[in-house]
Amino acid sequence: STLPPANPVYGAAGEPGVIAYYYLWHFGAAELARLTGATGWEADAAASWFSAVAALGLVAGLAFRFRPGTAAPLLALLAAAAGSLRPVASAFLGPERMDRLLEPATGLAGLLYQASWSPHHVASASAVVMAVLLMARMRAQAGRPQEPRALAVLVVLTALVAAAAFQSSLWVGGVAFAIGGAAAALVLALCGPREGRGRFLAATFAAAILAGGLVAPLLHAQIASAALRGGGAPVRVAAFPVLGPLVPDGLRAALDLPAFWLVLLPTEFPAIVLAGAAGLALVLGARGRDGSGRRASARALAVLALGVLAVSALLRSTAGENNDLGWRAVLPAVLVLSAFAGVALAAALAAAAQGRRAALVAALALIAIGLPDAFELARGNAVGEAGSQGRVFADDPELWNAVRREVAPDIRIASNPGRLERLTPWPVNISWALLSRRRSCFAGKEMALAFAPLTAAERTAADALFARVFAGAATPSDMTTLRTAFGCGAAVVTAQDGAWRADPFAASPLFRLASEEPGRWRIYLAAAEGAPATAR
């Protein structure tokens, strides 16, 4: 069976529905809330912090593995914290010229930005990197036929980590890892000694089969949901858009692909692209016997990074309005390059102690130009952005506590999908999503885009229906559709809704008033057949 047991965003006629989304990270946050009694808001924040700290810990650990000591891990963390050079470039060139030179910034960004916006993709990227490290360990263990149990344990661990990567992000742990991870496995098989090659390939195949079995229910649900949504293939080949309108359209199509590697990556990741490549070259070019397998691991990680960057450059996801595949596929490479940037910086620091300072100065300059962006991101995370709807949202825990007293856990609730839409950069009912602990009969077009098996036309029609209802312009037919087709067994009308003054639920025989807080909210339940419509 699949988890969670019901789709909280949409269920036809009120049925539980199946959620076809890479929800392992979200499920973990929900379990954290259940175990601690925290709200969804608190659990989301805690899980986001954990994902970011775990990813940074992985970066530091990798840097230490390839250059033991304190310098490499600390410098790797410094490099990972740096942001884009766009703010600095805009200050010199002017924002308008910058926008004409390059496409506006997107979700393709550094580790701290992505941890703030998409922590589940960051968690998946950490799992992808660990899976490749486990494959490198499997390659070494395959050369020791006298220890079959150790190899079997590594197979199981690799399968579990790969499954966790997929279940946290279809794009990172699925598409990107399928390409980058397969390339890394092939390089491990071909570049190592002949001894154990067959056993390694068999072990890798076994791990892939086991991981496939673990993710099969979710994969099946995703394929079925994609078929219901329509819209064609969820992934297509297309170069990542880089160059702005200053470049003629005909040239732009031909130049976007090389510009991705030569312009966009250094722009978005100035602190880690060159330094990370230098660190990989240092480790791969090191002379002497490598008894610990560092070079084999570094080789596999380098191929992984190259593979996932190629995915970002060449493939585009079409399942939603954003190119989530292109934006998130870079994350394993960001982790790898950050770690090896620390290796290169530590080597430059050692060389500077002997009077050779040029490399260190250049690397620190690249970090420095990314710090304004990092500081702005940190300030935004720490301070937030005050909005006109913040005070209303602060009172919403009381609203949803009242809803939970009146509405059973298995009842789907109608609430305004556009309420508090100015609280976030996109219109979404964040109050319901984080605080209600109840299912919605339709949570809005943005939520449905990712979580509901509806076509674009069905999402648009549903969005228009709920907009009419909560604007106070619903017809009796709209209320019937709300109750039957969407299975709304309860409804919440607030003072911020247009329906507060022209309340269609109060006028409908399909609903009865269950609770009211004067001037703030009304809670309705579906009326039983033959029962009075209202009970004031």
Side-chain angles (χ1 to χ4, degrees):
S1 62
T2 59
L3 292 172
N7 188 325
V9 169
Y10 170 79
E15 293 298 317
V18 175
I19 184 167
Y21 190 77
Y22 30 90
Y23 50 73
L24 180 64
W25 186 93
H26 303 81
F27 184 74
E31 288 299 293
L32 179 63
R34 295 281 294 186
L35 290 171
T36 63
T39 65
W41 178 275
E42 293 163 338
D44 182 273
S48 297
W49 273 98
F50 180 84
S51 299
V53 171
L56 291 172
L58 177 60
V59 167
L62 282 173
F64 181 84
R65 170 167 170 72
F66 293 104
R67 189 177 180 90
T70 57
L74 292 176
L75 291 167
L77 293 177
L78 179 63
S84 171
L85 64 74
R86 282 179 185 267
V88 174
S90 294
F92 280 98
L93 299 175
E96 292 185 5
R97 182 174 294 179
M98 188 68 184
D99 288 342
R100 288 177 55 78
L101 280 172
L102 296 179
E103 286 284 324
T106 63
L108 187 147
L111 179 59
L112 297 186
Y113 179 94
Q114 301 238 34
S116 302
W117 286 95
S118 300
H120 53 300
H121 294 298
V122 173
S124 179
S126 298
V128 165
V129 172
M130 288 189 287
V132 170
L133 291 172
L134 285 168
M135 285 196 293
R137 185 69 62 89
M138 276 202 310
R139 181 64 176 98
Q141 193 63 44
R144 307 184 187 104
Q146 68 276 15
E147 302 177 15
R149 288 187 179 180
L151 184 59
V153 169
L154 287 170
V155 167
V156 173
L157 286 175
T158 303
L160 290 172
V161 173
F166 179 88
Q167 291 175 351
S168 295
S169 170
L170 167 66
W171 307 123
V172 178
V175 178
F177 182 45
I179 295 173
L186 186 61
V187 166
L188 284 169
L190 296 179
C191 294
R194 286 183 174 272
E195 185 181 5
R197 184 175 294 170
R199 283 188 294 275
F200 169 70
L201 289 173
T204 303
F205 181 75
I209 293 297
L210 180 56
L214 291 170
V215 305
L218 178 60
L219 180 60
H220 177 268
Q222 288 180 319
I223 292 172
S225 180
L228 289 171
R229 287 193 186 105
V235 176
R236 65 181 175 88
V237 177
F240 196 101
V242 177
L243 301 173
L246 194 63
V247 180
D249 291 344
L251 279 177
R252 198 183 314 160
L255 295 179
D256 267 342
L257 184 57
F260 176 88
W261 300 93
L262 300 176
V263 178
L264 185 63
L265 292 183
T267 297
E268 299 299 346
F269 312 109
I272 64 172
V273 168
L274 297 178
L280 278 165
L282 285 173
V283 174
L284 294 175
R287 296 180 179 180
R289 187 173 180 273
D290 182 23
S292 64
R294 286 195 190 95
R295 278 202 295 274
S297 297
R299 191 181 297 118
L301 291 172
V303 172
L304 169 69
L306 187 62
V308 299
L309 288 174
V311 168
S312 180
L314 291 168
L315 299 181
R316 178 182 180 86
S317 58
T318 61
E321 296 176 351
N322 299 322
N323 179 18
D324 276 324
L325 174 58
W327 295 356
R328 315 307 177 194
V330 299
L331 277 166
V334 169
L335 296 177
V336 170
L337 291 173
S338 296
F340 283 97
V343 172
L345 285 165
L349 186 63
Q354 301 174 3
R356 301 191 300 274
R357 298 185 176 87
L360 181 63
V361 170
L364 291 178
L366 291 173
I367 291 176
I369 60 177
L371 290 180
D373 188 44
F375 288 145
E376 181 59 26
L377 175 62
R379 186 203 65 79
N381 285 343
V383 178
E385 295 183 9
S388 60
Q389 298 180 328
R391 188 175 297 278
V392 174
F393 179 67
D395 291 336
D396 272 12
E398 188 178 351
L399 161 64
W400 292 110
N401 284 335
V403 170
R404 286 192 292 274
R405 288 194 298 268
E406 300 291 344
V407 181
D410 60 342
I411 299 296
R412 289 193 179 272
I413 301 174
S415 62
N416 186 358
R419 181 173 177 267
L420 304 182
E421 62 181 10
R422 294 189 301 276
L423 194 66
T424 57
W426 59 92
V428 66
N429 189 350
I430 195 172
S431 170
W432 164 81
L434 292 179
L435 302 174
S436 71
R437 295 190 179 177
R438 289 295 185 271
R439 304 171 196 169
S440 175
C441 47
F442 182 73
K445 188 166 58 175
E446 287 73 21
M447 287 279 194
L449 186 65
F451 297 106
L454 297 171
T455 65
E458 289 170 335
R459 289 193 301 270
T460 300
D463 192 60
L465 168 67
F466 277 73
R468 287 195 304 273
V469 169
F470 285 96
T475 65
S477 175
D478 288 337
M479 301 305 293
T480 300
T481 301
L482 200 77
R483 178 69 189 97
T484 57
F486 288 87
C488 299
V492 175
V493 179
T494 70
Q496 292 78 45
D497 302 326
W500 183 256
R501 292 169 295 279
D503 193 338
F505 295 95
S508 173
L510 299 174
F511 292 89
R512 64 177 179 84
L513 184 65
S515 175
E516 180 175 9
E517 181 70 18
R520 298 176 69 187
W521 66 71
R522 302 181 191 117
I523 301 170
Y524 292 91
L525 294 176
E529 289 188 23
T534 58
R536 295 189 182 273

